Amino acid sequence: MLVKIMEEPKFYSPLKIGLLTISTAYFLFTLHALFTLSWIGEWEGLGGGSASFWILITDVSAYFGLVFRFIASLIAVVAIILCFSKKGLSESTTFKVLKWILILEALYWVPLFLSGLMGFLPVDLSGFGATGLSLSLLVTTGIPCLVSSIAIPLVLFKLSSKLKPNKPKKDAIKWGLIAGTLYVFVFFLNNTGMWIATLLLKGTEYFGAYPENMFSFALTLYGLPVLVAFTAYFMGKSISKGIDAFEKLDLRSMGTIITVLGLYFLWNYLTWIFFGGWSDWYAWFLGHNLDLWMLSLPLVGLPLLFKRNSPEN
């Protein structure tokens, strides 16, 4: 479907504008993270030992991964801008662009393996208020990072290998659906882990001080699993049908998933703006969440909800 959009001779469409906005957000958020260098040297104040070692190697390796995502985001922005030209992008060029974006995005996730490994080890993090095997570190870093650093690169590399022009699209669609489902699952792990860590630190009294956050908590603990289940159902149903063309996908279901996921990020961002209540949850979601650009996803999800399935679309 994205190939069809990028080949469109029409100067603009809601989907093109949405893709341009999302790719720009993807680029700008990554650019900001790339030049936020306050993390440099944070390991020096931990008094040496295992904590300093692990913080050093995880910070440095993650930064190298961020460079790969920055290149991917730059390619994405340039490609979408070129789509607004009269000729658009050819199918072969579009496949090459998508393949490189997927490969670079996969390389972004790989270095997080070290962070995941750290979460399963008894690292001395007394400087952060934790010693030995930390439950907070396990659920916020260990499990999410280990799963994402292994599963996402494998799936994205597989998907990139299936993106070939003049070849059947069945396998590319299959692995694209698997990748999308996996991303939603990883977001569930990340955000659920941070809520658990927040409650371990502040207790349920946090909801008494900031009751509006109960809705964000419910969205994460109950809403995201429902979204994961629906995405997995959509994936399984589409794969079982043996869909071999992008235009045969259920665009409304795709639009629903993309819109709801984007609204989740948007809601959590807006609750902090309007209500505040700083905590470990917001420190993660706003200060360390490199996927916050996804709050712009409804700009693509909503057009898909109203786009008919047809070879032209």
Side-chain angles (χ1 to χ4, degrees):
M1 183 188 68
L2 184 58
V3 175
K4 298 294 183 182
I5 295 169
M6 297 178 81
E7 287 183 291
E8 280 183 355
K10 187 177 180 180
F11 179 70
Y12 70 91
S13 68
L15 266 178
K16 274 190 175 182
I17 295 172
L19 285 170
L20 176 62
T21 305
I22 288 176
S23 60
T24 302
Y26 179 47
F27 170 74
L28 291 177
F29 272 92
T30 309
L31 178 66
H32 176 267
L34 191 68
F35 288 98
T36 300
L37 304 177
S38 57
W39 58 270
I40 297 177
E42 67 177 358
W43 50 84
E44 295 175 355
L46 299 178
S50 60
S52 297
F53 170 75
W54 279 104
I55 297 299
L56 171 62
I57 64 171
T58 54
D59 280 1
V60 173
S61 61
Y63 187 79
F64 278 108
L66 189 61
V67 172
F68 290 118
R69 174 174 269 195
F70 171 74
I71 299 172
S73 68
L74 182 60
I75 294 173
V77 169
V78 173
I80 294 298
I81 290 175
L82 291 175
C83 289
F84 282 84
S85 64
K86 291 183 178 180
K87 293 183 179 180
L89 291 180
S90 66
E91 183 180 43
S92 61
T93 301
T94 299
F95 273 102
K96 289 178 182 178
V97 167
L98 291 175
K99 181 174 290 189
W100 274 108
I101 291 174
L102 290 171
I103 291 173
L104 292 165
E105 174 71 7
L107 293 174
Y108 157 76
W109 291 95
V110 171
L112 295 181
F113 177 80
L114 292 174
S115 297
L117 186 61
M118 179 180 72
F120 282 89
L121 298 177
V123 180
D124 179 14
L125 294 175
S126 54
F128 294 100
T131 56
L133 184 61
S134 167
L135 177 59
S136 293
L137 192 63
L138 179 66
V139 297
T140 61
T141 305
I143 296 174
C145 288
L146 204 62
V147 171
S148 60
S149 65
I150 296 174
I152 289 181
L154 288 176
V155 172
L156 292 184
F157 284 138
K158 185 70 174 181
L159 173 58
S160 66
S161 70
K162 299 298 181 180
L163 288 176
K164 297 178 181 179
N166 305 319
K167 294 288 184 179
K169 306 299 187 297
K170 183 178 179 179
D171 286 341
I173 292 172
K174 171 186 172 181
W175 285 100
L177 292 168
I178 293 174
T181 305
L182 182 58
Y183 264 86
V184 177
F185 177 67
V186 166
F187 294 146
F188 161 69
L189 289 180
N190 280 336
N191 294 291
T192 300
M194 285 312 307
W195 263 120
I196 292 174
T198 298
L199 295 180
L200 286 174
L201 181 66
K202 291 186 174 289
T204 55
E205 295 81 6
Y206 179 66
F207 291 138
Y210 304 100
E212 64 278 356
N213 286 323
M214 290 189 67
F215 188 63
S216 294
F217 174 78
L219 280 178
T220 303
L221 270 291
Y222 304 107
L224 284 183
V226 172
L227 183 61
V228 171
F230 180 74
T231 308
Y233 168 76
F234 171 68
M235 175 195 70
K237 183 179 179 181
S238 300
I239 292 175
S240 65
K241 287 182 177 180
I243 293 177
D244 57 359
F246 298 115
E247 59 268 16
K248 294 181 181 179
L249 287 167
D250 183 353
L251 299 184
R252 288 189 175 181
S253 293
M254 284 181 60
T256 300
I257 293 168
I258 293 170
T259 301
V260 171
L261 181 61
L263 289 176
Y264 171 79
F265 282 88
L266 183 60
W267 165 261
N268 285 291
Y269 180 69
L270 292 178
T271 51
W272 176 74
I273 290 179
F274 291 109
F275 302 109
W278 193 255
S279 66
D280 279 15
W281 162 249
Y282 282 120
W284 144 252
F285 197 84
L286 300 176
H288 301 278
N289 188 353
L290 297 181
D291 298 307
L292 194 56
W293 58 273
M294 290 197 172
L295 56 82
S296 61
L297 284 180
L299 294 176
V300 161
L302 290 174
L304 285 176
L305 282 172
F306 299 99
K307 199 172 183 67
R308 294 182 178 181
N309 290 72
S310 67
E312 291 77 16
N313 288 334

